[in-house]
Amino acid sequence: MRRRAHNGQEVVDQQNALLRGRIPLAALIQTLSVAEYLNFRHAANALGVSQSSVSTRIKTLEEDLGVVLFERRHRGVRLTDAGRSFITEVAAGISHLDLAIKTAGAVLNGAIGHLSIGLLSSIASGFLADLRRRYRDEHPEIELAIIEGRADEIIRQVREAKLDIAFVVGTAEVPDCHSRQLWSEALMAVLPHGHPLANAERFVWRDLAPETFLVRQDGAGPQVLDHIVRRLSEREKSPRIRRCNVGRDTLMHMVAGGDGITLTSEAASHVPFPGVVFRPIADEPDRARFSAVWSPHNRDPALRHLLDLATEMSKSARSG
């Protein structure tokens, strides 16, 4: 029993020694080197230090641990059983530490990490689809999480640091956030296949005035609603609008079923949907403009890389 008590006290002493920082990382690294070469001089040469410093550090380490790690011989050393066990655990620990350091550096450089992106529209085609594809090609270790929602909701989540960036329609004026307009798309009317205007050579807003417009409550719905009201009011027409608490696919099914028509952006029109056609409005002068919104306090390099790429793509699109 006394022996056990003595061993227990040794363990406590060893732990206290570690907690007090008496076993530096350099000593562990030098111990691993000696275990590899089984020779103090060769280990010291490999590390670029003096043989005496390696010998002194390992002797101090053995005293702190209360364990003999190496049997000294005339032409080198041999690991003891305790030393072999110690080396196995230290090697694993050093490997984990090395991985932690490399991982931290990769996160700092934006090589690995996670980005949460809020948006209103589909990412199946258009600027956002191209941006996402190029970013994933250039930064394959960054996980991209996509969240859809109303503009006010995703902007609020950016402000609360729940999202890294939001892509919204229009130029967002958020006092405590940065914003940047990136791209624009033509507005398209979405009509059922059998609609009288579906095969017309051209039509204008006045032709659409009698229609019932289906507008989503979420996503870009509020902006679409405002645009329809403004255009028909300019023509002294009263809009017939039906607010729908549905997703994009269900809205398209409703248009295909003859419940009404709607508006969408050019990128969304590139995704075929059964039973509907996408047509431009001849007298629509505006384009849907999209902006990025992010917090100035978010210094994540992965976000910076995304913004840099988006800006580069935006400039290329305008110059093209």
Side-chain angles (χ1 to χ4, degrees):
M1 293 293 293
R2 262 190 252 189
R3 179 64 180 164
R4 287 183 184 174
H6 178 66
N7 289 343
Q9 186 59 48
E10 285 183 354
V11 171
V12 172
D13 290 343
Q14 293 163 15
Q15 292 173 341
N16 288 339
L18 288 168
L19 290 173
R20 290 195 302 270
R22 289 177 55 191
I23 300 181
L25 182 60
L28 300 179
I29 293 174
Q30 290 180 6
T31 302
L32 289 177
S33 184
V34 172
E36 179 183 357
Y37 289 98
L38 296 178
N39 185 286
F40 282 104
R41 181 169 58 83
H42 293 166
N45 289 339
L47 294 172
V49 296
S50 67
Q51 179 178 341
S52 61
S53 68
V54 173
S55 178
T56 300
R57 279 192 185 278
I58 291 180
K59 182 178 180 181
T60 301
L61 175 62
E62 291 176 323
E63 291 174 353
D64 287 338
L65 295 175
V67 174
V68 176
L69 302 175
F70 299 98
E71 291 181 2
R72 277 71 170 173
R73 297 183 169 190
H74 179 65
R75 293 191 174 184
V77 298
R78 185 175 75 88
L79 279 165
T80 64
D81 289 341
R84 193 171 294 107
S85 176
F86 181 77
I87 288 298
T88 298
E89 298 300 329
V90 169
I94 294 294
S95 177
H96 291 156
L97 179 60
D98 182 58
L99 176 62
I101 292 171
K102 290 178 179 177
T103 301
V107 171
L108 181 63
N109 295 326
I112 65 173
H114 177 277
L115 274 182
S116 297
I117 300 172
L119 47 82
L120 306 175
S121 57
S122 170
I123 57 171
S125 63
F127 185 94
L128 275 182
D130 293 341
L131 174 62
R132 182 168 178 261
R133 182 174 57 254
R134 285 188 56 181
Y135 188 82
R136 292 183 68 175
D137 288 344
E138 296 180 15
H139 306 279
E141 298 301 317
I142 300 292
E143 178 186 354
L144 299 179
I146 307 297
I147 298 172
E148 290 190 26
R150 294 168 55 100
D152 56 349
E153 291 174 349
I154 57 178
I155 289 175
R156 175 179 55 79
Q157 292 187 58
V158 168
R159 298 175 67 186
E160 295 174 355
K162 295 178 181 177
L163 288 175
D164 292 297
I165 190 169
F167 294 101
V168 299
V169 179
T171 303
E173 297 294 338
V174 185
D176 52 350
C177 286
H178 289 326
S179 66
R180 182 180 302 163
Q181 184 176 309
L182 293 172
W183 81 99
S184 66
E185 300 174 13
L187 287 170
M188 310 289 286
V190 187
L191 311 171
H193 266 307
H195 194 282
L197 296 176
N199 296 315
E201 290 187 7
R202 68 189 297 274
F203 56 82
V204 295
W205 270 104
R206 190 172 293 278
D207 297 321
L208 299 177
E211 302 293 334
T212 296
F213 286 86
L214 306 180
V215 178
R216 290 178 60 196
Q217 292 185 5
D218 291 335
Q223 288 84 1
V224 171
L225 173 62
D226 291 344
H227 191 82
I228 294 169
V229 171
R230 183 169 67 255
R231 284 290 177 258
L232 294 184
S233 297
E234 289 170 353
R235 289 154 180 82
E236 299 182 349
K237 300 293 183 180
S238 298
R240 297 168 58 189
I241 294 175
R242 180 178 168 188
R243 303 292 299 278
C244 306
N245 189 19
V246 297
R248 177 183 181 275
D249 285 356
T250 299
L251 190 72
M252 292 294 141
H253 279 299
M254 293 175 68
V255 172
D259 291 336
I261 70 171
T262 192
L263 295 184
T264 192
S265 62
E266 184 179 8
S269 72
H270 293 160
V271 183
F273 202 92
V276 305
V277 295
F278 301 90
R279 298 292 306 279
I281 304 171
D283 61 345
E284 175 53 61
D286 292 344
R287 295 170 63 86
R289 303 186 183 280
F290 295 82
S291 300
V293 179
W294 70 98
S295 169
H297 305 296
N298 188 339
R299 304 187 183 279
D300 189 337
L303 172 62
R304 185 179 69 249
H305 293 160
L306 180 69
L307 285 168
D308 290 345
L309 178 58
T311 303
E312 173 194 329
M313 290 175 56
S314 176
K315 291 178 179 178
S316 296
R318 285 197 294 266
S319 62

